[in-house]
Amino acid sequence: MGKILVAVTIALCAFAWKMYESLDLRKTVYNHRPGICRQVHGPVKGSEDIELIRSEGIAFITSGILYLQPYRGDIVEGKMFLYDFNQKLGKDQLKAKELPIKGASFDQNNFHPHGLTHWVVNGVIRLYVINHSDGFKHSVEVFDYDPSGPALIHKKSIKHASFIRPNDLAAIGPDQFIFTNDGVTQSEMGNLAEILSGYKGGSVYYWDGEDSQVIFSAMAAPNGIAYDVKNNKLFISEINYRRVHAYTVEKDKKTLTHLSTVDLGTACDNLFVDSDGSVSSGCHPVLHEAAKSIGDCESDVTSPSQVIRIKFDKDYKTAAISEPYANDGKEVSGSSAVAFHNNQMLVGTVCKGLLHCEIPDPAVL
Amino acid sequence: MGKLIIPIVIGLCAFAWRIYESMDMGRTIYNHRPGVCRQVHGPVKGSEDIEVIRSEGIAFVTSGLIYLQPTRAHVEGKMFLYDFNQKLGTGQLKAKELPIKGSNFDQNNFHPHGLSHWVVNGVIRLYVINHDDDFKHSIEVFDYDPSGPSLIHKKSLKHPSFIRPNNIVAVGADQLIITNDGVAQTEIGNFFEILSGYKGGTVYFWDGKESHQILSGMGAPNGIAYDIKTNKLFISEVNYRRIHAYDLAKDKKSVTLLSTVNLYSACDNLFLDSDGSVYSGCHSVLIETAKSIGDCDGEATSPSQVLRIKFDSEYKIASVSEPYSNDGKEVSGSSIAALYNNQMLIGTVCKGLLHCEVTHPSVL
């Protein structure tokens, strides 16, 4: 009996330790910025993902996410925003412009965008946006960008059984994308059980334009995904294990060859590939605070934000990691995405605003 | 027996947890800089403390520290001068070694630690904590001769209250406040002091002739800084990873606690900026610091961190930021940060000196 008690006590100690570690209960966040930072007017309900169109100096932003909380469907309006990096920096308020969405088949009331990506199809910027309806049913909404409005033209809605709990996606061709499912359960309670048990319910699929093919299964919450078209490299953030994987995409696009895994020591959300090939991410450095803040988007509860930059070597075997931005949550809460353009940085959040920072010198990155 | 085993197991778990925490074993360091950073040529054996003379745009740097390691007596203690007015660019930044003049100065038994200054009759007077080859302690007093430039040794102060002096701050001409970071005089003794949680640290006021105890029972008081404008004293209590702000009494023999700021990092020396904010060079992963400082002549490195503490007008609350952080590859074992004219110097216990440009005040 004594031996059993000792074993149980040790197991409980180990479990407590694991929880303590995995929820970042001991982590301290020290504030620092790459330059002057300002709030961006517009996406008050968050800016969960950001898609940069480098050639135009603009970025598309998803706002009003509904994630595992169907009861928030009637109070949160899903929106798409456009941020122009060419707008004048100074004392004036920086703005992100709400994009009207046109299309008879588009259901605005059931639109809560999550991850997004783009591909230029016949000279037109085509956006692929993960959507969760009020009832937390999933689809990928396809829009064409009309710069004259500016507006988005809804083209189609893609639904498939493989969209289990889609989080993010990366276009790798016209109407071809790879997307991540960050788990299997469809409720907050189920998700908590999934995390607590360590169940690896995450998966990654390739959508070829008509059907889905599974690429990976049994992953621990694959979240952010980004594709480097120049180098044909794909990056996936496995958030529960606090790491990012680098892959080469094979010709058939259904197969990925693993190159390396980088341990980040922080829960990184969406990924962004910069023009120099470095990968940046908006991360949640203190997970228990992120859970509280994201679980209560309408309140004043905040959680720390962090931007991590991963610079791979030419073989993608080793990487140097830096932290261009960190904040305790008072300036920006629950960072989920980052985008760099022209010595500027946008930091997106799950559900609380959008931040812009100037970068006076690349040395701070 | 069974009843005893459970509390023992829980006790061991708690102890293991405490060690894990106190040694920063789970901590990840993320690199970031306030701008372009470069190594400074000169103080290869470290730059444990830096004293800025704002009016001149120069800084004095202590190098060649021996701390609880008489076996390292082969290390030569030196004083360096850094000129903030030297041209930044592609050329190598340099700190100039200062020759020390004085017939009664023992160069072979000089291993400087903390330092401070006061202007006495128009002359910059330096007060430097020294540990000799046998780890006996003194405060060496120098006058700065800019014509050389060189240091003129004036006198050597010895007193039983210099138990294990770490840092020092001048609060008047030949008036100093000194921190003793513990009582043990050996590495093994210090290890037990830390492990047992024994609070052997003390703070003394030296009035020019005699010592007066200000504080006792502290967990390794380390860095100390004095704000002459507001009469505030700041002390870093390294074992508790916190900094205290005090009001200094008129007689300088007592202090009134204003606030304590938890930093969650082992912060070493303190620097007071012109805007009243306090900077510190910190050891963010203590287990790696212990290895690196314990092997100053080896290749082992440890992370570096600079923290900035900005107090409110009443010194009750403070905002903390991190202008610099590095895993140890760029600069190892940071012990001090000094700012001047959009430049930052980061000193180390025993491995070099780093200079960083501050691209914009918003990065601090």
Side-chain angles (χ1 to χ4, degrees):
Chain A
M1 185 62 184
K3 282 179 183 175
I4 291 169
L5 275 173
V6 169
V8 168
T9 305
I10 290 168
L12 284 171
C13 281
F15 181 72
W17 193 314
K18 189 193 163 190
M19 283 297 104
Y20 184 75
E21 283 279 278
S22 64
L23 290 170
D24 305 304
L25 288 162
R26 71 182 290 258
K27 203 180 255 187
T28 307
V29 176
Y30 299 100
N31 297 349
H32 64 89
R33 310 179 180 96
I36 293 167
C37 296
R38 301 178 189 87
Q39 300 298 325
V40 177
H41 189 76
V44 286
K45 294 289 182 187
S47 43
E48 207 281 335
D49 203 3
I50 301 168
E51 181 73 0
L52 175 71
I53 315 297
R54 203 168 272 116
S55 59
E56 307 296 308
I58 58 171
F60 295 98
I61 296 158
T62 58
S63 184
I65 187 175
L66 191 146
Y67 182 75
L68 298 167
Q69 298 170 316
Y71 53 87
R72 286 182 64 242
D74 54 350
I75 51 169
V76 178
E77 198 183 341
K79 292 177 181 181
M80 295 293 296
F81 285 88
L82 179 74
Y83 184 85
D84 186 357
F85 282 99
N86 303 306
Q87 65 187 287
K88 199 179 161 204
L89 301 175
K91 287 177 192 159
D92 290 344
Q93 173 78 65
L94 295 173
K95 292 180 180 74
K97 200 171 193 174
E98 187 184 338
L99 285 169
I101 299 170
K102 298 170 181 175
S105 61
F106 178 67
D107 183 1
Q108 179 67 64
N109 295 328
N110 271 289
F111 182 59
H112 299 286
H114 199 159
L116 86 159
T117 186
H118 88 282
W119 198 265
V120 178
V121 182
N122 301 324
V124 176
I125 295 164
R126 178 161 284 188
L127 295 183
Y128 304 92
V129 183
I130 283 173
N131 177 41
H132 309 294
S133 71
D134 282 3
F136 203 57
K137 299 288 178 271
H138 319 295
S139 62
V140 173
E141 302 300 323
V142 184
F143 305 98
D144 279 355
Y145 172 57
D146 174 11
S148 67
L152 294 178
I153 316 299
H154 185 253
K155 301 303 284 182
K156 58 183 166 183
S157 187
I158 305 168
K159 290 183 175 78
H160 195 269
S162 64
F163 301 169
I164 301 159
R165 200 172 79 198
N167 184 306
D168 200 11
L169 75 174
I172 55 168
D175 291 342
Q176 297 176 326
F177 49 82
I178 296 174
F179 64 94
T180 60
N181 288 306
D182 60 18
V184 290
T185 60
Q186 303 295 306
S187 66
E188 282 184 293
M189 203 64 199
N191 188 47
L192 180 70
E194 207 172 317
I195 292 164
L196 233 55
S197 66
Y199 176 67
K200 296 188 207 169
S203 54
V204 178
Y205 282 82
Y206 165 59
W207 176 262
D208 63 11
E210 288 172 8
D211 206 358
S212 267
Q213 279 98 15
V214 67
I215 296 175
F216 295 122
S217 58
M219 284 184 92
N223 190 309
I225 187 166
Y227 178 58
D228 183 348
V229 70
K230 273 196 291 190
N231 299 301
N232 190 40
K233 298 291 180 277
L234 189 81
F235 307 96
I236 298 173
S237 166
E238 197 175 8
I239 198 167
N240 284 6
Y241 284 142
R242 292 166 164 76
R243 61 191 184 186
V244 165
H245 307 282
Y247 305 92
T248 297
V249 181
E250 298 306 330
K251 281 214 174 92
D252 65 357
K253 296 175 182 176
K254 300 173 196 177
T255 317
L256 301 180
T257 305
H258 183 259
L259 295 167
S260 63
T261 296
V262 183
D263 287 309
L264 299 173
T266 186
C268 286
D269 207 313
N270 295 320
L271 302 178
F272 168 82
V273 179
D274 209 350
S275 52
D276 68 350
S278 61
V279 178
S280 296
S281 183
C283 308
H284 305 288
V286 183
L287 219 50
H288 75 97
E289 288 187 34
K292 276 184 221 162
S293 161
I294 292 164
D296 194 4
C297 281
E298 276 69 54
S299 79
D300 291 332
V301 180
T302 62
S303 67
S305 291
Q306 181 186 38
V307 173
I308 292 289
R309 182 174 181 259
I310 306 143
K311 188 86 182 84
F312 287 91
D313 68 347
K314 61 179 193 302
D315 298 326
Y316 290 83
K317 291 295 178 197
T318 58
I321 299 161
S322 64
E323 183 191 60
Y325 180 89
N327 187 265
D328 56 14
K330 303 285 184 289
E331 184 170 64
V332 64
S333 172
S335 56
S336 58
V338 65
F340 292 94
H341 181 73
N342 199 20
N343 294 329
Q344 298 172 64
M345 175 174 80
L346 276 184
V347 182
T349 70
V350 176
C351 57
K352 286 173 183 174
L354 173 67
L355 190 78
H356 174 280
C357 296
E358 294 176 42
I359 300 165
D361 191 311
V364 302
L365 297 176
Chain B
M1 184 63 185
K3 282 178 183 174
L4 263 178
I5 287 171
I6 301 298
I8 287 167
V9 170
I10 290 169
L12 285 170
C13 281
F15 182 71
W17 194 315
R18 190 190 154 193
I19 295 300
Y20 182 78
E21 283 278 274
S22 65
M23 298 306 281
D24 306 305
M25 283 170 158
R27 193 178 259 187
T28 308
I29 301 303
Y30 300 100
N31 298 348
H32 63 88
R33 311 178 180 96
V36 176
C37 296
R38 301 177 191 88
Q39 299 298 324
V40 176
H41 189 76
V44 286
K45 294 291 181 187
S47 44
E48 208 279 337
D49 203 4
I50 299 168
E51 182 75 357
V52 173
I53 315 297
R54 211 167 265 117
S55 59
E56 307 295 308
I58 58 171
F60 295 98
V61 179
T62 59
S63 184
L65 170 67
I66 286 187
Y67 182 75
L68 299 166
Q69 297 171 314
T71 49
R72 288 188 64 248
H74 62 276
V75 174
E76 200 182 339
K78 293 178 180 180
M79 295 292 297
F80 286 88
L81 179 74
Y82 184 85
D83 186 358
F84 283 103
N85 303 306
Q86 65 187 287
K87 200 178 161 203
L88 302 175
T90 46
Q92 173 77 65
L93 295 173
K94 291 180 179 74
K96 199 171 193 174
E97 188 184 337
L98 285 169
I100 299 170
K101 297 170 181 176
S103 54
N104 61 346
F105 177 68
D106 184 0
Q107 179 68 62
N108 296 327
N109 271 291
F110 181 60
H111 301 286
H113 200 159
L115 86 160
S116 187
H117 89 282
W118 198 264
V119 178
V120 182
N121 301 324
V123 176
I124 295 164
R125 179 161 284 188
L126 294 184
Y127 304 94
V128 183
I129 284 174
N130 177 41
H131 310 293
D132 70 12
D133 284 2
D134 299 317
F135 204 57
K136 299 286 179 275
H137 320 295
S138 63
I139 292 169
E140 303 301 323
V141 184
F142 306 98
D143 279 355
Y144 172 58
D145 174 11
S147 67
S150 64
L151 295 178
I152 315 298
H153 184 254
K154 301 303 284 182
K155 57 185 165 182
S156 188
L157 307 175
K158 290 184 173 78
H159 195 270
S161 65
F162 304 166
I163 302 159
R164 199 172 79 198
N166 183 307
N167 206 355
I168 187 172
V169 68
V171 292
D174 291 342
Q175 295 183 322
L176 316 163
I177 296 177
I178 304 140
T179 61
N180 289 304
D181 60 18
V183 290
Q185 301 295 307
T186 61
E187 280 186 293
I188 197 82
N190 186 48
F191 179 68
F192 280 115
E193 206 171 317
I194 293 164
L195 224 59
S196 66
Y198 176 67
K199 297 187 205 170
T202 51
V203 179
Y204 282 85
F205 167 58
W206 174 263
D207 64 10
K209 290 176 184 175
E210 195 52 63
S211 262
H212 310 271
Q213 191 176 86
I214 296 175
L215 297 163
S216 62
M218 292 185 86
N222 191 309
I224 188 166
Y226 176 60
D227 187 345
I228 191 168
K229 280 193 283 189
T230 59
N231 191 43
K232 299 291 181 278
L233 189 76
F234 306 96
I235 298 173
S236 164
E237 198 176 8
V238 77
N239 284 5
Y240 286 117
R241 292 167 165 75
R242 62 192 182 188
I243 186 174
H244 307 283
Y246 302 94
D247 245 325
L248 186 62
K250 275 212 176 96
D251 65 0
K252 296 169 185 173
K253 294 176 188 175
S254 64
V255 290
T256 306
L257 180 67
L258 296 168
S259 63
T260 296
V261 183
N262 287 312
L263 299 173
Y264 306 101
S265 189
C267 287
D268 207 314
N269 296 321
L270 303 178
F271 166 81
L272 192 85
D273 204 3
S274 52
D275 69 349
S277 56
V278 179
Y279 286 82
S280 185
C282 308
H283 305 290
S284 43
V285 182
L286 222 49
I287 188 166
E288 290 186 34
T289 303
K291 281 183 216 163
S292 159
I293 292 171
D295 186 17
C296 279
D297 306 310
E299 297 289 302
T301 62
S302 65
S304 291
Q305 181 188 41
V306 174
L307 291 186
R308 177 181 185 251
I309 304 116
K310 187 88 181 82
F311 287 90
D312 68 346
S313 58
E314 292 169 347
Y315 291 83
K316 291 294 178 198
I317 51 172
S319 60
V320 180
S321 64
E322 184 190 59
Y324 181 89
S325 177
N326 186 265
D327 56 15
K329 303 286 185 288
E330 184 170 64
V331 64
S332 172
S334 57
S335 56
I336 180 69
L339 281 93
Y340 178 81
N341 198 21
N342 293 329
Q343 298 173 64
M344 180 167 72
L345 276 183
I346 302 173
T348 69
V349 176
C350 57
K351 287 174 182 174
L353 173 66
L354 191 77
H355 174 280
C356 294
E357 294 175 42
V358 178
T359 54
H360 192 279
S362 62
V363 303
L364 296 174

